[in-house]
Amino acid sequence: MKILYFAYIRDITGCKQEPWPAEPDMRTLLRSLCAKYGETLRKKIYAPGSEEPGDVILMVNGRHIEHLGGLDAALVENDTIHIFPMVAGG
């Protein structure tokens, strides 16, 4: 699978994209990413005091995870994951 990072998430990971071993679901993937990139990423991915996504948009193959089962969205080896922080602009 391939993970694409955007905006300040890219700054935390130090890369625009990276290959990643297949994970069974989005919940497991996020836990693995936080284990690799630490508390800084965890604070950006999850809502305070929760293991639910906070101010990020998580997509699998261009589809928001809300339409795929949320954090239980099944993942397979050829998936492309996009992680976008919610940003405002004018």
Side-chain angles (χ1 to χ4, degrees):
M1 95 183 9
K2 178 170 58 174
I3 305 173
L4 304 173
Y5 304 107
F6 297 87
Y8 59 76
I9 302 295
R10 185 179 287 173
D11 296 335
I12 295 168
T13 64
C15 59
K16 294 180 182 182
Q17 66 180 19
E18 69 180 317
W20 197 267
E23 299 275 10
D25 55 41
M26 183 61 76
R27 183 181 316 276
T28 305
L29 173 62
L30 293 180
R31 286 179 181 158
S32 295
L33 288 171
C34 290
K36 179 177 179 177
Y37 293 110
E39 190 65 18
T40 302
L41 182 64
R42 187 184 190 314
K43 287 179 180 178
K44 298 298 183 183
I45 295 283
Y46 294 110
S50 171
E51 282 208 8
E52 293 297 317
D55 293 333
V56 292
I57 298 168
L58 303 168
M59 299 177 78
V60 178
N61 302 323
R63 296 187 64 204
H64 196 287
I65 64 166
E66 283 184 11
H67 305 290
L68 301 171
L71 291 178
D72 296 320
L75 301 175
V76 296
E77 184 177 336
N78 294 325
D79 283 340
T80 299
I81 312 302
H82 295 78
I83 303 177
F84 298 90
M86 289 188 196
V87 294

